[in-house]
């Protein structure tokens, strides 16, 4: 759109906008977790073994070859087991605490809408909250801003039976004995391993075949109505570590702008649509975001 001013990278100007904002949302993508060592879904050319990783994240792929899909998600689960939240996760977690947030954005509401399934945002919130309440024991956890994991969680295991549908958070390593070591065997050059369906993860409630509890392509993200309400009310949208290509999250910043709100993008490099943002901060978000939110040392007071 010609004639539009270039996005600003003025941190002080952004913080003045932040101070006046009343309904703030953060829309997060894989770049948020990059500094923690979580490989991005499309990283390394988007390939896993010889397969297109995106082609394995569908209900159809699971129906055709549950053994292959479970090995892919077993590999991802193992990769996500050790990483810890980085400074950007912690800055957002601190910003979720009203008494801390009020220092830089008085009387504001906040919500994190993440596309990530690695659980690091939730882990950061637990860590920050425990540290904060050492000196603020009168504050209540129910006042903390919500974390909305719209694509589910990597460690959730979901029953495939329509009559059951049980979902359980399970960090077991491996999730079933047959998957043990498959990630290392493939790296060592072994042929594709075929695991019988009977030995794949089972629902602990009804013993039907279980599947990873993430949201796959073609499925409806979690909490859409709730997300839509938050986006509709937002006067400031923080776009963090995402290329804004996966729907519907890719539309959230545009919707905020359409009703008069402002957008600030925090990314390692230029991405789709960021020329329309009011603010653009390029660089590692674990460095830019804590400074922008005034959360470098907040929460220790």
């Amino acid at each position: 759109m010609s004639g539009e001013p270039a996005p600003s990278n003025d941190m002080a100007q952004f913080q003045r906008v932040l101070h006046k904002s009343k309904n703030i949302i953060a829309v997060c993508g894989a770049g948020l977790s990059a500094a923690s060592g979580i490989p991005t879904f499309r990283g390394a050319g988007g390939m896993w073994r010889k397969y297109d990783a995106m082609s394995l994240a569908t209900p159809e792929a699971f129906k055709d070859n549950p053994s292959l899909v479970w090995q892919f998600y077993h590999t991802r689960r193992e990769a996500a087991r050790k990483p810890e939240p980085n400074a950007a996760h912690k800055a957002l977690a601190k910003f979720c605490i009203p008494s801390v947030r009020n220092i830089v954005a008085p009387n504001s509401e906040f919500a994190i809408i993440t596309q990530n399934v690695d659980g690091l945002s939730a882990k950061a919130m637990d860590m920050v909250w425990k540290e904060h309440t050492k000196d603020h024991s009168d504050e209540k956890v129910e006042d903390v801003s919500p974390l909305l994991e719209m694509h589910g969680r990597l460690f959730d295991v979901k029953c495939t039976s329509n009559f059951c549908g049980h979902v359980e958070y399970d960090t077991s390593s491996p999730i079933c004995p047959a998957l043990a070591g498959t990630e290392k065997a493939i790296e060592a050059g072994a042929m594709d391993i075929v695991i019988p369906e009977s030995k794949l993860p089972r629902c602990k409630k009804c013993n039907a075949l279980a599947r990873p509890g993430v949201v796959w392509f073609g499925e409806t993200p979690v909490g859409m109505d709730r997300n839509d309400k938050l986006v509709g009310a937002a006067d400031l949208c923080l776009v963090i570590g995402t290329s804004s290509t996966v729907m519907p999250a890719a539309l959230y910043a545009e919707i905020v702008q359409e009703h008069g709100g402002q957008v600030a993008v925090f990314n390692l490099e230029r991405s789709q649509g960021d020329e329309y943002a009011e603010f653009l901060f390029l660089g590692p978000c674990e460095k830019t975001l804590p400074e922008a939110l005034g959360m470098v040392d907040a929460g220790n007071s």
Side-chain angles (χ1 to χ4, degrees):
M1 190 181 297
S2 60
E4 289 288 333
S8 170
N9 63 356
D10 187 325
M11 195 69 78
Q13 182 185 0
F14 167 77
Q15 289 173 336
R16 287 192 289 272
V17 171
L18 182 68
H19 186 80
K20 294 186 292 185
S21 299
K22 296 303 176 188
N23 291 287
I24 307 163
I25 59 171
V27 181
C28 306
L32 174 63
S33 296
S36 295
I38 297 286
T40 61
F41 192 76
R42 294 174 179 79
M47 299 298 291
W48 173 75
R49 303 184 193 171
K50 60 191 177 192
Y51 302 98
D52 176 0
M54 290 180 66
S55 72
L56 298 176
T58 68
E60 293 78 16
F62 187 76
K63 181 178 180 181
D64 291 343
N65 196 337
S67 169
L68 180 66
V69 172
W70 257 120
Q71 288 176 66
F72 172 56
Y73 279 93
H74 166 71
T75 301
R76 293 187 68 192
R77 283 167 59 95
E78 294 303 300
R81 191 168 301 283
K82 293 182 181 179
E84 294 292 329
N86 61 56
H89 291 114
K90 293 175 183 177
L92 288 169
K94 291 174 183 177
F95 202 72
C96 284
I97 302 173
S99 63
V100 179
R101 183 172 67 252
N102 283 341
I103 299 170
V104 292
N107 303 311
S108 61
E109 299 293 329
F110 179 58
I112 300 173
I113 302 173
T114 184
Q115 301 170 83
N116 296 338
V117 297
D118 53 44
L120 289 179
S121 289
K123 191 171 184 178
M125 290 179 72
D126 287 342
M127 293 168 59
V128 167
W129 178 251
K130 288 177 182 177
E131 184 65 29
H132 178 76
T133 51
K134 287 180 182 178
D135 299 317
H136 303 83
S137 57
D138 57 322
E139 296 195 45
K140 300 177 181 178
V141 69
E142 54 262 34
D143 294 329
V144 175
S145 300
L147 167 65
L148 312 174
E149 296 169 297
M150 65 184 298
H151 290 168
R153 301 186 297 182
L154 191 57
F155 291 101
D156 275 348
V157 180
K158 182 179 180 181
C159 181
T160 58
S161 169
N162 293 330
F163 299 101
C164 178
H166 177 66
V167 179
E168 184 166 330
Y169 188 73
D170 190 338
T171 59
S172 301
S173 175
I175 186 64
C176 70
L179 287 168
T182 55
E183 77 286 2
K184 297 177 182 177
I186 297 302
E187 290 173 5
M191 298 290 287
D192 279 2
I193 299 167
V194 179
I195 301 173
E197 188 172 306
S198 61
K199 293 186 178 181
L200 291 173
R202 314 298 295 184
C203 173
K204 292 182 180 179
K205 191 174 181 180
C206 74
N207 203 42
L209 177 66
R211 53 161 279 185
V214 298
V215 175
W216 283 328
F217 292 105
E219 296 181 327
T220 302
V222 177
M224 284 297 297
D225 290 344
R226 179 182 54 186
N227 289 359
D228 289 346
K229 288 179 182 178
L230 288 166
V231 174
D235 54 7
L236 177 61
C237 176
L238 314 178
V239 177
I240 304 165
T242 175
S243 57
S244 297
T245 55
V246 178
M247 298 297 178
L251 296 174
Y252 288 168
E254 182 180 346
I255 293 170
V256 171
Q257 285 181 315
E258 285 177 351
H259 62 244
Q262 298 194 56
V263 172
V265 176
F266 298 82
N267 261 338
L268 194 58
E269 55 192 21
R270 297 300 299 259
S271 61
Q272 179 175 311
D274 64 19
E275 67 268 27
Y276 304 126
E278 283 74 23
F279 298 94
L280 175 60
F281 300 104
L282 295 179
C285 59
E286 66 273 14
K287 294 183 178 180
T288 58
L289 192 62
E291 179 184 357
L293 295 181
M295 296 291 122
V296 176
D297 297 312
N300 296 323
S301 56

